[in-house]
Amino acid sequence: MPLTLPDSVLQRLKQAKRVVALTGGGMAAASKVPSFREAHTGEWAQYDVSELATVQAYLRNPRMVWEWYEHRRRTAEAAEPNAAHYALVDLEQHYPTFTLITQTIDGLHWRAGSRDLIELNGCLRRSRCYEAGHIISAWEDVGESPPRCPHCGSMLRPGVVMFGEGLPEWELRAARAAVEQCDVFVCVGDVGAIEPVSSFPFAAKRVGALLLSIDAENSIYTLLADHVIEQPLSEALPELVRLVVGEIGELDAAAFPIEP
């Protein structure tokens, strides 16, 4: 069904110069990327989260933790960006300033073509060495698990935020700065309503931004929204592009390099 918006909302979307979009588990689910709980099945079901996804677990059994995240990485790589991913790329190309903040770790936003991207929880497609923090986007498989950093030789760990770790300072600071300067703040799909991310809509409200919520369950994001779109995000976002931009851009994903 074609999307319709109140004239006041549509005009603000068309006049906006600085837009921030926030995505989370709902975006991953639309591409059938399993959540932690959904992936925690089969041979992995016997292990508690404290054995798979904490720094303490990594230090106790780095091989098992690495292989758990490798399992999740392979699953994510088998998935494909959905129509909402590509619509967000269209919006990035349309607005003078567009920042995409995501809680997802599957790398699908990058694969779709998003470039002004802040991955608050890291990405399964990257790793970093435990000793020096070197960021590694490709590593040689020599049969060692976890592999070693090509720069310093220390063990690699998944490049994601594990349970009990804080969000990376640089990414969080950049996300807050974008929110505090935006004209429009768009929450796409179900997003984890935990601090500090749950404070973003309040920050956007303080600067007078329009808050738009798309295909999200009742949460702080829908409660504070100026307008709520209840259509599935893979339908609503392409329709939003049609209304704001005038036509839906046809992006060739192959034109974008896979590696960050």
Side-chain angles (χ1 to χ4, degrees):
M1 184 174 66
L3 175 66
T4 58
L5 294 173
D7 289 342
S8 59
V9 172
L10 184 56
Q11 285 306 308
R12 291 195 65 181
L13 284 168
K14 287 185 173 183
Q15 295 168 3
K17 302 299 182 184
R18 295 177 176 271
V19 176
V20 170
L22 173 65
T23 70
M27 181 68 79
S31 284
K32 296 182 170 53
V33 177
S35 65
F36 183 95
R37 291 183 182 275
E38 292 168 336
H40 194 206
T41 58
E43 64 178 299
W44 299 105
Q46 61 184 305
Y47 301 106
D48 185 75
V49 63
S50 63
E51 299 175 278
L52 296 176
T54 66
V55 174
Q56 293 79 7
Y58 174 80
L59 294 175
R60 286 194 305 268
N61 194 337
R63 180 185 182 91
M64 184 168 72
V65 171
W66 179 266
E67 290 180 352
W68 158 248
Y69 279 100
E70 273 292 283
H71 162 68
R72 296 191 69 193
R73 181 180 65 81
R74 289 192 296 270
T75 302
E77 286 186 345
E80 295 295 333
N82 61 65
H85 287 99
Y86 293 114
L88 287 170
V89 181
D90 286 337
L91 292 177
E92 179 179 330
Q93 294 180 340
H94 174 72
Y95 287 111
T97 301
F98 182 92
T99 304
L100 175 56
I101 304 169
T102 187
Q103 295 175 323
T104 64
I105 60 174
D106 51 43
L108 291 179
H109 280 302
W110 183 271
R111 286 171 55 190
S114 292
R115 290 300 176 262
D116 199 343
L117 174 64
I118 300 173
E119 294 171 309
L120 286 177
N121 290 321
C123 183
L124 290 166
R125 298 172 56 248
R126 293 191 297 273
S127 64
R128 69 175 188 266
C129 68
Y130 184 78
E131 295 295 336
H134 295 122
I135 304 299
I136 309 297
S137 57
W139 49 89
E140 185 178 0
D141 183 5
V142 295
E144 191 173 8
S145 183
R148 297 278 174 174
C149 174
H151 302 295
C152 66
S154 69
M155 291 190 304
L156 294 181
R157 56 151 286 177
V160 300
V161 176
M162 297 185 186
F163 287 96
E165 290 187 297
L167 296 179
E169 183 178 345
W170 184 91
E171 282 80 358
L172 184 55
R173 188 165 58 246
R176 282 174 171 158
V179 172
E180 290 169 356
Q181 300 175 49
C182 72
D183 305 317
V184 173
F185 180 89
V186 185
C187 178
V188 182
D190 294 332
V191 176
I194 56 175
E195 281 291 349
V197 178
S198 60
S199 68
F200 287 175
F202 291 97
K205 276 287 190 182
R206 282 196 296 270
V207 296
L210 171 75
L211 266 64
L212 191 64
S213 179
I214 301 175
D215 190 23
E217 293 184 353
N218 289 335
S219 66
I220 192 65
Y221 308 107
T222 53
L223 289 173
L224 289 176
D226 296 294
H227 187 74
V228 177
I229 299 173
E230 296 181 349
Q231 290 178 230
L233 58 88
S234 58
E235 298 175 9
L237 270 168
E239 281 290 298
L240 188 67
V241 171
R242 179 183 62 81
L243 290 175
V244 173
V245 181
E247 61 181 10
I248 298 176
E250 295 181 357
L251 292 176
D252 181 5
F256 294 93
I258 294 299
E259 294 301 328

